Amino acid sequence: MDKLTKQQQRKHLLDRAAFGATPAELAEASRQSLPAVVRRLMGRPDTLSELKVVDPETAVTKRGLRGMVRDGQLDRDALKERIRMNAEKVRDLNLQWLDRMASGENALREKMALFWHGHFACRTMGQNPLFMQLYANTLRQHALGTFSDLLMAVSKEPAMLQFLNNQQNRKNAPNENFAREVMELFTLGRGHYTEQDIKEAARAFTGWQFTLDGQFVFRERVHDEGEKTLFGQTGAFRGEDVIRMLLDKPQTARHITAKIYRFFVNETEDKKRVDELAARFRKNGYDMADLMTHIFTADWFYEPQNVGTHIKSPVELLAGMRHTLNITFDQPQPQLFVQRTLGQVLFYPPNVAGWPGGKNWIDSSSLLFRMQLPNYVLKAADVPVRPKEDGDVNTEALARKGGQTFRTTVDWAGFEESFAKTPDADLPDALAAVLLPLPLRAEQRSLIGKPNQPGQTRSERIRALTTALMSLPEYQLT
């Protein structure tokens, strides 16, 4: 492949740093300088509106509801109904966040927050919408700030402390789960700490707990005040001290930068380049905005080997499709069915390590559904597909409630307007430039059909070509 044109560069950037682009957005970006486009993608944190499906002052957890049953404030049937309502609010939070991703506003921040959701993997325990709402908004608020602030904030989120059992971590009975994942997954990566480091860190994290209304609290009475020795340092350390020591280690910057590189640039790591990025990241105080700006304005980001190599995650695929064509679902629940069928349900990562990504997104059944998805969405079809059984009763319930009937509204008029001056013979290439990561090849042209079909209006032709292009395997890539 030759060097990318300016339009192809902008297309690559908008696919990786956001959730794709409308034809109008791509045209506008192609007229701007690269730094200007990146600045616009960064957005402004003061324009970020919080996700909200529950009022913190009135939210009641599953544990709190059971307490109300014991106190006679609720009967068993009312308990079941309130728990069901909580589960539906977690579903609503999922759909609300997906709406924000598809909107195109603060696009890079939402994309980074999705990345952090996989890095700081956390799922709802006991169907607690308040804790997940707080967690999601923390990811979004700090997504482009400093990693040090993000790490501290997420580590103190009630959802994370609950998920990793730190509420049970007490002096004389330490629970090592939270301390282990902070080192293995959040900062250093496997193999860069000892079991003794974990034991001592767990002691330092004793007392890090939360209240039922979603507030972090440090409970001194259950904290181990004794001396601990971590990474060659000895002192009466607390959790904040452990976080500080982890951030001081160059390996933390290396581990985070490598994950960012694999997600945003190429799954095959360029060791020398990652080392250089990690050194810059650490030197600049873990500044995420600086790191991402450096990556997206670097010439090497647009080298051919980095284009069309990233397999879209299910959420990227769905949000990108919605954004490019301004698609709204008349009933939003089928989007949950898509997430579960393709293996990525927001707020339900499979385990503490998050979604593995890459080629793991694709198998024979999911690839077929992925390629048929544009037909289902754009033609409002009933879907003759059943999600794979994953043994997860929570996501199974979501999928059942979601249903398999797609009813959508597509802003075809807005989409078609960008091609009003495009000659019929050039439509396939013009549409492909918006929808695919690479120019059309001869074999792809034969699959999507000829530009002109007898009896078709121009509008019908654009819609048919768009659906055909989005049904190609290459649409699954960025």
Side-chain angles (χ1 to χ4, degrees), residues 30 41 71 74 122 168 178 197 200 302 337 403 411:
S30 298
L41 286 172
D71 296 341
L74 286 177
C122 181
Q168 291 76 45
F178 180 78
D197 289 329
E200 297 291 85
Y302 301 94
F337 170 81
D411 181 18

Side-chain angles (χ1 to χ4, degrees), residues 225 265 329 332 390 469:
E225 293 284 5
V265 183
F329 282 74
D390 59 8
L469 287 165

Side-chain angles (χ1 to χ4, degrees), residues 18-22 25 94-107 110-111 114 315-329 335 346:
F19 296 92
T22 66
E25 287 170 341
N94 174 311
L95 295 169
Q96 193 177 111
W97 192 13
L98 186 60
D99 284 346
R100 301 292 172 82
M101 295 180 202
S103 74
E105 297 176 9
N106 286 289
E110 300 292 4
K111 189 68 166 280
L114 178 61
V315 171
E316 288 176 303
L317 177 67
L318 187 54
M321 185 182 300
R322 284 188 53 191
H323 178 66
T324 300
L325 292 172
N326 193 15
I327 298 170
T328 56
F329 282 74
Q335 296 170 97
L346 293 173

Side-chain angles (χ1 to χ4, degrees), residues 419-428 430 451 458:
F419 305 97
K421 298 180 180 179
T422 304
D424 286 350
D426 295 338
L427 274 176
R458 182 177 172 84

